Amino acid sequence: MLALQGGVREHERMLDGLGATVVRVRRPEELAGVDGLVIPGGESTVIARLAALAGLTGPIRVAIGAGMPMLGTCAGLILLADALEDAAAGQETFGGLDIVARRNAFGAQTESFETLLDVPDMGEEPVRAAFIRGPVVASLGPAASALARHDDGRIVAVEQGALLATAFHPELTGETRFHERFLGQVRAAAA
Ligand code: GLN
């Protein structure tokens, strides 16, 4: 669990409930000891800055290149995007997903909402998704695939190899399937 800033505890609770051993990653030595990384929601500019200060940016990029499974939610999706449409001055991402993300695509914090999404890859039951100043996938490159779309057709969940990212917060609505999918990748990679 990348624990520099943002909604760390909700993810920890969910991962714990699914039987995972959860370790907080704040330094490169801690990253070296894990088999997968969850990047939480929060403020992507702040997480990126703290990661750089902690000397984690390079090691996270290396881990992504080496195929470490990662799940990013909201700010986590922004940080896993190869490019941003509207990067803040100097804002960098870890990259890995062949997408261009657009930050704050659903308006302000007060316009947060919950909705049900059909996610064919996750079975019949719709996904209850909480959007809190969430991003959107503005464009999808050939290496990434769309897992979920909002009612208006905009892409809000993507997958590429061992990387999984959602523009919404499954950890806030008791939606376990994304974390289960991530843990499946972690177990496969660690086996
Ligand atoms: N708007 C935030 C950002 O740009 C993301 C919001 C969230 O993670 N809930 O990082």
Side-chain angles (χ1 to χ4, degrees), residues 40-45 73-76 78 91 103-104 132-135 169:
E43 189 52 47
S44 56
T45 51
T73 61
C74 205
I78 295 168
Q91 181 175 10
R103 300 174 60 207
N104 305 321
I132 306 169
R133 265 184 342 114
H169 293 270

Side-chain angles (χ1 to χ4, degrees), residues 156-178:
V156 290
V158 287
E159 187 167 48
Q160 182 176 337
L163 303 178
L164 180 60
T166 62
F168 50 87
H169 293 270
E171 77 284 6
L172 295 181
T173 54
E175 168 54 64
T176 58
R177 286 171 285 179
F178 292 91

Side-chain angles (χ1 to χ4, degrees), residues 120-184:
D121 281 43
M122 301 254 168
E124 293 275 294
E125 186 74 20
V127 162
R128 179 165 289 280
F131 286 86
I132 306 169
R133 265 184 342 114
V136 80
V137 176
S139 78
L140 184 76
S145 45
L147 274 183
R149 289 174 190 272
H150 190 248
D151 296 345
D152 56 14
R154 293 192 288 176
I155 298 167
V156 290
V158 287
E159 187 167 48
Q160 182 176 337
L163 303 178
L164 180 60
T166 62
F168 50 87
H169 293 270
E171 77 284 6
L172 295 181
T173 54
E175 168 54 64
T176 58
R177 286 171 285 179
F178 292 91
H179 292 74
E180 284 168 15
R181 198 171 173 101
F182 161 71
L183 290 175

Side-chain angles (χ1 to χ4, degrees), residues 10-85:
E10 295 79 3
H11 279 290
E12 286 181 329
R13 213 169 291 141
M14 182 160 283
L15 292 165
D16 199 55
L18 294 170
T21 305
V22 185
V23 174
R24 289 192 175 187
V25 171
R26 294 197 181 96
R27 297 177 304 155
E29 309 85 88
E30 291 158 346
L31 181 69
V34 299
D35 297 317
L37 190 69
V38 174
I39 306 175
E43 189 52 47
S44 56
T45 51
V46 174
I47 296 175
R49 192 153 11 96
L50 294 175
L53 284 173
L56 271 167
T57 308
I60 289 174
R61 287 183 179 148
V62 169
I64 290 169
M68 182 187 280
M70 297 198 188
L71 168 64
T73 61
C74 205
L77 177 145
I78 295 168
L79 287 160
L80 286 174
D82 277 346
L84 302 182
E85 205 178 66

